[in-house]
Amino acid sequence: MLVGRRIRSVAVQRPDIVGCPEPEEFSRRATGRKVENLGRRGKYLLLHLDRNLDMVFHMRLSGHIQVREPGEPPPYERVRIGLSGKRVLSFVEPRALGRVWLADRTDYPDALRGMQRMGPEPTSPEFNSRWLGSRLAGRKAPVKNLLLDQRICCGAGNIYTDEALFRAGVGPTRPGGSLTRAEVANLARSMKHVIRAAIRHCGTTLGDGRYRRPGTQAGSNQKYLKVHAREGADCPRPGCTGTVHRIRIGNRSSYFCPQCQA
DNA sequence: CTTGTGTCCTGTAGGC
DNA sequence: TGCCTACAGGACACAA
């Protein structure tokens, strides 16, 4: 759908969506480049272009990209990229919190240091109980917050941290350093499981469904959520008589079952 | 270094 | 109906 196409034009509808360089230079440098490959690192999407350039997208809370035919642009289109072969890539972002950057692959800018500092992918062998244990050791912050730290568990967000903690039977407010070795190992395994399942189900489309996998289709992972966004529901663990609670941790909601998550 | 809080932005849901 | 507040898939700057 994208690989092999050449960028013919770039139209920035919302300048603050472009992280760097400045929108004008962003457009100038991207125009004429060819998409050689696609990639992902944590929550960042990568278009590897020729001349050693990467176009890097982050969808934040409500963004998505779609490759469409020319014509009426979708609502909330913030950046429009005209491609060879009569296609248009639209970066759609209602809340305008997402960003796109253009970077030299061998010299990423400061603006992308968050991406550079990310830890191992939860799906990789490097993400194991040894890694997680080393990151949680000595920490007093709630384990929920530490899992949201992309330097510790890249790609994890509010949904998947809740689900992994439930699966591991670990309460979200537990200080990171208080987990036993067995709990850490369990949590690492649970995170792998949750992230793999989410990828298999093409992501989680919640509520108003603004999240969309590329191509505007909804994901299906929301059907498999055990606790997230299920406040008041009976705990899904067989035999448990508890209900799903919602609390605020660090200004964000956490869902969990107090009876099976110690 | 760690930790908690506020901010960016827009839209929707729910209370009154 | 309209106005107000709370909340939403995230990350970062900043203060203590």
Side-chain angles (χ1 to χ4, degrees):
Chain A
M1 204 130 80
L2 279 172
V3 173
R5 296 189 194 275
R6 203 170 277 281
I7 296 174
R8 299 292 194 207
S9 64
V10 177
V12 177
Q13 324 286 358
R14 227 345 237 273
D16 51 344
I17 289 286
V18 178
C20 74
E22 292 300 306
E24 265 190 32
E25 193 188 345
F26 176 91
S27 305
R28 184 174 57 73
R29 289 181 66 190
T31 302
R33 303 281 54 77
K34 184 177 179 181
V35 181
E36 293 189 324
N37 236 321
L38 306 180
R40 176 188 69 79
R41 184 78 175 91
K43 296 169 188 166
Y44 293 83
L45 306 182
L46 306 168
L47 301 196
H48 299 302
L49 310 176
D50 61 356
R51 297 204 191 168
N52 248 11
L53 286 173
D54 282 348
M55 188 175 284
V56 182
F57 292 87
H58 197 301
M59 306 295 131
R60 289 280 188 107
L61 299 181
S62 63
H64 76 267
I65 59 175
Q66 61 182 87
V67 180
R68 60 179 178 86
E69 298 187 351
E72 185 69 15
Y76 308 110
E77 180 190 69
R78 308 302 194 187
V79 178
R80 174 164 59 240
I81 296 176
L83 300 164
S84 58
K86 289 204 164 58
R87 287 293 184 281
V88 177
L89 185 158
S90 292
F91 184 19
V92 177
E93 201 350 355
R95 286 176 68 178
L97 291 170
R99 291 290 182 270
V100 58
W101 303 264
L102 192 64
D104 191 313
R105 199 169 307 143
T106 58
D107 182 26
Y108 264 40
D110 247 25
L112 283 169
R113 66 184 182 282
M115 178 184 168
Q116 301 260 301
R117 293 174 182 173
M118 278 192 304
E121 296 286 336
T123 52
S124 73
E126 289 73 39
F127 186 92
N128 50 32
S129 67
R130 177 185 300 267
W131 164 260
L132 189 58
S134 74
R135 300 295 91 182
L136 299 185
R139 301 290 297 267
K140 294 175 180 169
V143 61
K144 162 80 186 244
N145 283 358
L146 297 173
L147 288 177
L148 285 170
D149 186 336
Q150 302 297 290
R151 293 167 297 187
I152 297 176
C153 188
C154 79
N158 209 30
I159 299 173
Y160 304 137
T161 49
D162 280 353
E163 294 298 305
L165 286 164
F166 173 75
R167 190 177 173 84
V170 173
T173 58
R174 288 272 300 283
S178 75
L179 271 63
T180 66
R181 295 168 73 93
E183 285 173 326
V184 170
N186 199 355
L187 187 53
R189 277 197 308 273
S190 298
M191 184 59 76
K192 281 178 187 292
H193 177 97
V194 165
I195 294 284
R196 288 201 180 109
I199 291 172
R200 192 165 62 245
H201 299 135
C202 301
T204 307
T205 302
L206 282 178
D208 58 16
R210 276 195 303 250
Y211 162 80
R212 287 289 183 259
R213 55 190 278 212
T216 76
Q217 303 158 79
S220 62
N221 197 64
Q222 62 279 7
K223 290 188 288 194
Y224 305 94
L225 298 181
K226 305 281 193 195
V227 288
H228 186 84
R230 297 227 186 287
E231 184 179 20
D234 292 337
C235 174
R237 186 170 64 88
C240 181
T241 57
T243 58
V244 176
H245 286 230
R246 179 171 75 97
I247 58 171
R248 304 290 291 181
I249 303 177
N251 233 4
R252 309 187 72 185
S253 286
S254 278
Y255 299 87
F256 70 110
C257 169
Q259 278 199 34
C260 39
Q261 290 173 262

